[in-house]
Amino acid sequence: MLSVLFYLGLIAVLCLWVEGALAPMTNSLIIRRNPGEQLDDWLKSFRWGNRSQLNEKIDLPHYKFYSEIALTLLSLARKMGGNYQESLLFLRDGLQSDRQFEKKMHELRLGCWLQMLLIMALTWAFMLGALSLVDIKISGLKLGLIAIWQMIGLCLLPLTLAYLRKKLFGDIGRLWKMLFTLSSMVRVPLSRSEIFAMADIKGLDLIKQKSLLHLVDKLKHTCQQALKQGGSYEGEVKYLMEELRFQEKWHFELFEKRLTMLKLGLLSIFFLPAYLSFIFMLLGDLMTLM
């Protein structure tokens, strides 16, 4: 019983350490906020009417591309004047949606880690409990090989999760940066070519994900029309953002399904064989004693 409690406690510590949730704590034991929260609080408290706040050196917390766009808007306001409060509000709305998405991703990853570590802990609790009940000694080398095999599975988990995330959401993140840059810069006193360069529209050719190609074609057409005929592209870009939001939700559901397959694969390759190998070793030694 004590071994089970020990391993369950070890699970919680390992999960928090792996996911980065166990951040350095203050003396009051309050966990440090992440950069997304800090940036959201800064955007919430910023006032355009306070010119001294605009002119002072601003050190924004770095969070994806949102900090870069906010700094660009503030820099343009200092150099050319103007009030881009609406753009910052729009940026903050996107930031909050992104934070909600990241929270869901974090919960999925943490749940996956908890399941893997729980199964590993219960396996070892059973193995150690079984060895304490029978007068059989399995060599430390064999137990070490079982532990190494399970650790290989645990090490593959973050690598596979990172690969899945990059494959399913890498191009989506690139498109979000382009669309948010275009939307935030729609009222700045810059030429269309300068805004498109800041949004890295040329990077559209690097997006190869088939489910996003129709959005890429629409965005290319919108930018070409804006360069040739002038006028505002705001309506088209906001429509594309709604479409991209729908695609992101669909990719998130696909990520959940792939994550379930990943857990089943790791369990069947690294954890179940380790448990079965111990059972066979235990039964083999029992047969020799009979």
Side-chain angles (χ1 to χ4, degrees):
M1 183 64 184
L2 290 176
S3 61
V4 174
L5 292 175
F6 172 76
Y7 280 107
L8 289 177
L10 185 61
I11 290 171
V13 175
L14 286 175
C15 288
L16 291 173
W17 176 75
V18 170
E19 282 296 310
L22 196 60
M25 296 185 182
T26 61
N27 292 331
S28 59
L29 299 179
I30 298 175
I31 299 178
R32 185 177 57 188
R33 293 176 304 161
N34 61 51
E37 290 180 285
Q38 295 176 19
L39 181 60
D40 186 37
D41 289 341
W42 189 92
L43 292 173
K44 186 191 304 182
S45 61
F46 180 78
R47 293 180 177 85
W48 283 100
N50 188 354
R51 301 305 297 182
S52 61
Q53 186 180 9
L54 179 62
N55 293 326
E56 66 185 13
K57 184 179 179 181
I58 298 174
D59 185 19
L60 289 180
H62 180 72
Y63 183 75
K64 296 186 179 182
F65 55 85
Y66 295 95
S67 302
E68 180 184 345
I69 296 176
L71 285 173
T72 301
L73 289 170
L74 296 173
S75 176
L76 289 171
R78 282 195 298 267
K79 294 177 181 177
M80 303 180 181
N83 186 322
Y84 306 120
Q85 183 173 1
E86 184 178 349
S87 297
L88 281 184
L89 288 174
F90 180 77
L91 189 66
R92 186 182 166 219
D93 181 64
L95 173 62
Q96 291 177 339
S97 299
D98 184 85
R99 285 178 54 207
Q100 292 175 358
F101 171 77
E102 288 295 335
K103 183 179 179 181
K104 292 178 182 178
M105 293 290 292
H106 176 79
E107 290 172 352
L108 280 179
R109 294 196 304 269
L110 188 58
C112 188
W113 275 107
L114 281 170
Q115 291 178 30
M116 296 294 103
L117 290 171
L118 178 61
I119 291 172
M120 184 176 179
L122 291 177
T123 300
W124 278 96
F126 169 80
M127 289 165 57
L128 295 176
L131 290 175
S132 66
L133 293 175
V134 297
D135 190 19
I136 294 176
K137 291 184 179 181
I138 297 178
S139 67
L141 177 60
K142 293 179 180 179
L143 293 177
L145 290 175
I146 292 176
I148 291 173
W149 188 245
Q150 290 181 327
M151 290 305 297
I152 291 174
L154 285 179
C155 291
L156 286 176
L157 180 58
L159 296 176
T160 313
L161 285 174
Y163 170 77
L164 279 178
R165 174 164 184 145
K166 183 177 180 181
K167 181 180 179 181
L168 294 176
F169 300 103
D171 287 340
I172 289 180
R174 188 190 297 270
L175 267 177
W176 274 128
K177 181 179 180 180
M178 294 178 185
L179 293 173
F180 267 108
T181 303
L182 292 174
S183 297
S184 300
M185 302 293 167
V186 70
R187 291 181 176 84
V188 301
L190 294 175
S191 65
R192 290 287 184 262
S193 58
E194 290 178 287
I195 294 175
F196 293 162
M198 294 173 64
D200 191 25
I201 295 300
K202 292 182 179 180
L204 285 171
D205 295 330
L206 300 176
I207 297 177
K208 304 298 182 183
Q209 204 163 344
K210 291 183 179 180
S211 59
L212 301 176
L213 291 181
H214 69 289
L215 293 176
V216 170
D217 293 337
K218 289 179 180 179
L219 183 56
K220 283 183 178 179
H221 178 74
T222 297
C223 294
Q224 290 171 357
Q225 291 295 107
L227 284 174
K228 291 179 181 178
Q229 302 177 4
S232 176
Y233 54 77
E234 184 176 8
E236 289 80 0
V237 168
K238 286 187 176 180
Y239 170 75
L240 290 176
M241 294 179 80
E242 292 297 324
E243 281 200 62
L244 185 57
R245 187 74 67 189
F246 173 80
Q247 286 292 328
E248 188 176 57
K249 291 180 180 178
W250 181 76
H251 279 77
F252 184 78
E253 294 175 359
L254 185 60
F255 180 81
E256 286 185 293
K257 295 177 181 178
R258 297 283 174 84
L259 189 58
T260 301
M261 295 174 60
L262 171 64
K263 289 186 290 187
L264 289 175
L266 291 177
L267 287 174
S268 60
I269 295 174
F270 294 98
F271 293 90
L272 183 59
Y275 171 76
L276 293 177
S277 63
F278 171 79
I279 295 296
F280 282 120
M281 286 187 288
L282 191 63
L283 290 176
D285 289 341
L286 285 174
M287 292 297 292
T288 59
L289 294 176
M290 294 177 63

